[in-house]
């Protein structure tokens, strides 16, 4: 993606309402993200994090409002062009774990390959680069069913990365992982966004990790849905009302939640 600059708005949402024809899940969602930003969508269970991510990826229709990707209206992009702009990793199980790591990552090149699906030299370079950056090169000939959850998660991210889009959307990339592997994947994603200037958006329950690692956060709270850098959200007391105060309270000094005994 040559010729882009850090000031370029990669993803923009204005007065966005999401959900289903008979059920609005969330509304008044507003944010804009620039090239190379690392953003988390956080909030309690059932608040609409996955629905928002699917809507941003055009997997699900919005109810109202505006979504722009690289200053173009999302719903006006033809599927082929959309696949060159956005790559996604949803929480659905992997279709074929019989593939090798290399083969699964190679699926990320589908928007570019000819109808026979044969890989060019450039395709192979992109695939290998994705394997290197996600520390998967030693595993590239292994079958996906032989991998741990954490390894498989990295393979799915590598597939999205091989697609070489300016925006990567990840739904709960740290589910089923222990704390060490959660931190490892999120730190890896942050370093990828820095090195490659790709904009990465992920949904997470790991609010404390996101506070420490993200450039910006969207806190879905069902009311104002505040967006901004974590330190600004802490100053605005955005996290204070997230959970019932008699159960969990937020400590602004440490950026962490405290269980009320």
């Amino acid at each position: 993606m040559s010729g882009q600059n850090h000031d370029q708005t990669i993803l923009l949402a204005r007065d966005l309402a999401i959900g289903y024809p008979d059920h609005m899940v969330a509304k008044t969602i507003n944010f804009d993200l620039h090239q190379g930003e690392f953003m988390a969508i956080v909030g309690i269970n059932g608040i609409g994090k996955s629905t928002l991510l699917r809507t941003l990826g055009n997997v699900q229709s919005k109810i109202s409002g505006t979504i722009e990707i690289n200053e173009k209206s999302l719903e006006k992009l033809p599927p082929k062009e959309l696949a060159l702009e956005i790559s996604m990793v949803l929480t659905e199980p992997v279709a074929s774990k019989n593939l090798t790591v290399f083969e699964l990552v190679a699926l990320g090149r589908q928007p570019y390959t000819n109808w026979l699906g044969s890989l060019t030299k450039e395709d192979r370079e992109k695939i290998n680069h994705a394997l290197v950056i996600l520390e998967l090169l030693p595993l590239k000939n292994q079958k996906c069913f032989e991998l741990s959850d954490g390894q498989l998660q990295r393979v799915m991210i590598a597939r999205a990365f091989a697609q070489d889009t300016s925006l990567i959307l990840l739904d709960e990339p740290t589910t089923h992982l222990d704390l060490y592997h959660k931190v490892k994947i999120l730190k890896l994603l942050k370093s990828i966004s820095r090195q490659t200037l790709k904009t990465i958006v992920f949904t997470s329950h790991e609010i404390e990790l996101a506070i420490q690692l993200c450039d910006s956060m969207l806190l879905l709270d069902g009311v104002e849905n505040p967006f901004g850098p974590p330190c600004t959200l802490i100053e605005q007391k955005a996290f204070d009302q997230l959970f019932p105060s008699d159960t969990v309270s937020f400590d602004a000094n440490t950026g962490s939640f405290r269980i009320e005994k």
Side-chain angles (χ1 to χ4, degrees), residues 236-251:
Q236 293 169 349
K237 303 194 182 321
F239 300 104
D240 293 20
Q241 308 304 319
L242 200 54
F243 301 107
S245 57
D246 58 347
T247 316
V248 180
S249 64
F250 183 75
D251 183 340

Side-chain angles (χ1 to χ4, degrees), residues 191-218:
S191 76
I192 289 171
S193 70
R194 290 286 179 276
Q195 288 168 37
T196 62
L197 297 183
K198 294 189 182 304
T199 305
I200 298 178
V201 177
F202 68 100
T203 59
S204 184
H205 291 97
E206 311 298 329
I207 299 173
E208 293 179 15
L209 294 184
I211 286 172
Q212 294 181 61
L213 290 168
C214 288
D215 300 310
S216 56
M217 294 172 71
L218 176 69

Side-chain angles (χ1 to χ4, degrees), residues 16 52 83 94-95 123 127 142 146 177 184 193 199 201 228 245 250:
L16 180 62
L52 174 57
V94 182
D123 289 327
I127 294 161
Q142 257 183 277
E146 300 172 328
L177 302 182
K184 196 169 173 179
S193 70
T199 305
V201 177
S245 57
F250 183 75

Side-chain angles (χ1 to χ4, degrees), residues 16 22 33 44 67 76 78 87-88 94 120-121 131 145 153 162 167 177-178 251:
L16 180 62
D22 55 349
L33 288 177
I44 60 171
I67 303 173
K76 291 194 179 132
S87 51
M88 294 189 78
V94 182
T120 63
K121 181 167 175 282
L131 290 168
F145 66 75
Q153 193 63 45
L167 176 65
L177 302 182
D178 60 43
D251 183 340

Side-chain angles (χ1 to χ4, degrees), residues 130-177:
L131 290 168
V132 167
I133 207 160
L134 280 139
E135 301 168 1
L136 291 165
L137 211 50
L139 301 174
K140 78 176 200 178
N141 297 316
Q142 257 183 277
K143 295 277 194 192
C144 288
F145 66 75
E146 300 172 328
L147 305 178
S148 70
D149 287 342
Q151 288 168 333
L152 191 58
Q153 193 63 45
R154 292 213 311 276
V155 176
M156 298 305 291
I157 294 167
R159 187 194 71 185
F161 191 73
Q163 207 174 314
D164 198 25
T165 54
S166 53
L167 176 65
I168 299 176
L169 303 175
L170 306 162
D171 197 11
E172 297 282 353
T174 58
T175 318
H176 309 310
L177 302 182

